[in-house]
Amino acid sequence: MAIKYELIKTCKQSGARLGRIHTPHGVIDSPAFMPVGTQATVKTMSPEELKMMDAHIILSNTYHLFIRPGHEIVRKAGGLHKFMNWDRPILTDSGGFQVFSLSNMRKIKEEGVEFRSHLNGDKLFLSPEKAMEIQNALGSDIMMAFDECAPYPAEYDYVKKSLERTTRWAERCLQAHARPQDQALFAIVQGGMYEDLRRQSATDLTSMDFPGYAIGGLSVGEPKDLMNKMLESTVPLLPAGKPRYLMGVGSPDALIDGSIRGIDMFDCVLPTRIARNGTTMTSSGRLVIRNAKFAEDFGPLDPECSCYTCKNYSRAYIRHLIKADETFGIRLTTYHNLHFLLQLMRDVRQAIMEDRLLDFRQDFFTKYGLFEGSRGF
Ligand SMILES: [Zn+2]
């Protein structure tokens, strides 16, 4: 087995779990947030900076690396860790989500998906076998099975057919995976917003004994209550001795609410994406640095934050850089946002350790200005 989940403690107040995920490239403290490095880089951040903020693991995208530079080049470089100079754990997605969301003219068949590259229109094909070949070449610590993420909303019959195909694809991924000793393959539970379909997907996939399980197809535009309901009905069906990963979730409230429901891993482009247009997350809520009121504000972005940005630079300076389209401004907001979410997860882990995650949630939500039904960041 390439990875091992170690349960350290369950929070008596919330049921959240504190753990460690042991991988070939080191240990991940969980619940964990994974910064996203789509093109083999977390946009504008160096690996040294990611280590300074103590990211334990990053995520990279199979679809993007397959299209450019091509997985053979990454393999020749000695794998993704060497290629990008990151020696801590890496998780790669399967490419499925991007094929369905980015590419044009996709054609889904039992064999796989035919699509055109969003870069140059080249006709390409991804299948469970191809997704395994690519991820085996990339050499990520955790790889994802090739799946279809059904859109929201979607008809029951469509979601059912789609999840059944995803299960057959997962079985083919298991067969095609060439490096199970040093790379762990996670299956992805689908089923849209239908509890019985989630149950069907979870039951079928857990019977195949994957080293870990992800929950996909959530945070796709549904109300937050619905996502939490789906988590409540799905997570208890997943094996306790293996990591559980909620895909594409990264707003502060969803990280806390997901942890409370037993999730161990999260990823999202949110902190890096909003940073690039000058939106930041702070302990007292969302802060849009472009606003005129910060023009002469020489205090830090977040007075309670201990990150490199907040220790050294003012709101006025960052606002100036962002408005002048200076790359350094984007680097500073990106650094802060990632540090903010990594610190949030450190706080969540501490709260689990002390059996007070529900109290922590209450305090955080109040201070952040979150209320039930709000946007979450
Ligand atoms: Zn900061």
Side-chain angles (χ1 to χ4, degrees):
M1 277 284 203
I3 65 158
K4 191 177 148 273
Y5 178 76
E6 178 194 353
L7 177 67
I8 295 172
K9 185 177 188 306
T10 303
C11 174
K12 289 196 183 81
Q13 194 183 52
S14 68
R17 48 192 221 157
L18 182 71
R20 281 194 201 107
I21 303 162
H22 299 263
T23 84
H25 287 87
V27 176
I28 306 156
D29 289 333
S30 65
F33 175 74
M34 304 185 278
V36 179
T38 300
Q39 316 257 20
T41 173
V42 176
K43 286 192 200 304
T44 77
M45 291 290 103
S46 69
E48 290 74 19
E49 287 164 325
L50 293 168
K51 284 183 181 175
M52 265 169 63
M53 61 178 82
D54 204 21
H56 291 180
I57 174 171
I58 60 166
L59 180 147
S60 199
N61 291 114
T62 288
Y63 170 92
H64 290 280
L65 298 178
F66 170 50
I67 290 185
R68 181 177 59 190
H71 57 291
E72 274 307 312
I73 288 180
V74 179
R75 190 183 58 78
K76 281 182 195 155
L80 189 53
H81 292 86
K82 279 221 171 96
F83 188 54
M84 66 178 291
N85 189 34
W86 173 256
D87 57 9
R88 291 187 181 181
I90 299 176
L91 182 149
T92 46
D93 65 2
S94 70
F97 186 79
Q98 281 76 20
V99 166
F100 289 103
S101 62
L102 276 185
S103 64
N104 304 315
M105 298 177 60
R106 57 182 188 264
K107 219 192 267 170
I108 311 169
K109 302 173 187 168
E110 184 63 23
E111 178 56 22
V113 186
E114 221 176 70
F115 63 99
R116 287 189 184 275
S117 156
H118 74 292
L119 288 180
N120 57 15
D122 281 359
K123 206 173 183 182
L124 295 165
F125 184 72
L126 264 184
S127 62
E129 291 75 17
K130 191 72 191 175
M132 291 302 101
E133 178 199 320
I134 298 167
Q135 293 182 82
N136 283 152
L138 298 177
S140 49
D141 300 86
I142 299 172
M143 7 197 284
M144 302 304 300
F146 191 65
D147 67 323
E148 184 193 357
C149 172
Y152 173 78
E155 292 294 324
Y156 185 90
D157 289 344
Y158 179 89
V159 176
K160 187 171 165 65
K161 279 200 187 96
S162 161
L163 90 83
E164 285 169 354
R165 186 170 47 224
T166 289
T167 301
R168 292 191 295 275
W169 284 355
E171 196 158 17
R172 280 165 56 188
C173 284
L174 213 47
Q175 296 298 321
H177 182 13
R179 302 174 58 187
Q181 290 315 309
D182 36 50
Q183 293 180 273
L185 173 63
F186 282 21
I188 305 174
V189 175
Q190 291 287 353
M193 304 302 157
Y194 303 102
E195 278 179 279
D196 63 319
L197 296 184
R198 288 272 164 195
R199 198 173 316 119
Q200 181 184 343
S201 177
T203 308
D204 292 349
L205 291 173
T206 50
S207 75
M208 287 184 243
D209 200 23
F210 285 85
Y213 292 90
I215 300 175
L218 293 181
S219 193
V220 288
E222 78 282 10
K224 277 192 281 187
D225 296 353
L226 189 51
M227 175 165 91
N228 287 334
K229 201 173 126 199
M230 288 302 125
L231 288 180
E232 282 159 19
S233 54
T234 308
V235 174
L237 303 172
L238 303 177
K242 292 174 179 181
R244 307 152 174 174
Y245 161 31
L246 175 55
M247 305 182 85
V249 164
S251 61
D253 59 333
L255 293 176
I256 298 171
D257 284 342
S259 299
I260 287 172
R261 286 162 181 82
I263 297 294
D264 308 303
M265 305 162 73
F266 304 86
D267 81 286
C268 193
V269 295
L270 178 79
T272 42
R273 181 172 287 167
I274 64 174
R276 293 197 291 279
N277 62 43
T279 301
T280 59
M281 298 182 272
T282 77
S283 49
S284 51
R286 206 161 67 104
L287 185 148
V288 181
I289 198 66
R290 284 173 176 276
N291 289 350
K293 65 177 173 185
F294 301 123
E296 295 183 36
D297 185 337
F298 303 107
L301 214 44
D302 182 353
E304 292 183 26
C305 179
S306 62
C307 87
Y308 166 77
T309 301
C310 293
K311 270 196 302 209
N312 297 296
Y313 301 95
S314 68
R315 291 173 172 179
Y317 179 62
I318 297 166
R319 173 176 187 269
H320 157 68
L321 293 180
I322 293 284
K323 286 187 70 81
D325 278 330
E326 286 292 341
T327 309
F328 190 49
I330 294 172
R331 283 176 32 71
L332 291 176
T333 51
T334 300
Y335 191 103
H336 167 81
N337 278 355
L338 286 174
H339 183 277
F340 182 82
L341 290 188
L342 293 167
Q343 184 59 46
L344 172 63
M345 298 317 286
R346 285 189 281 269
D347 293 343
V348 164
R349 294 195 295 266
Q350 188 64 34
I352 296 173
M353 187 60 110
E354 295 165 5
D355 294 313
R356 54 171 180 83
L357 187 55
L358 293 182
D359 297 341
F360 174 83
R361 177 189 190 274
Q362 180 71 44
D363 294 345
F364 182 91
F365 274 49
T366 305
K367 217 166 143 196
Y368 201 89
L370 284 163
F371 47 92
E372 305 308 326
S374 68
R375 264 211 298 175
F377 68 89

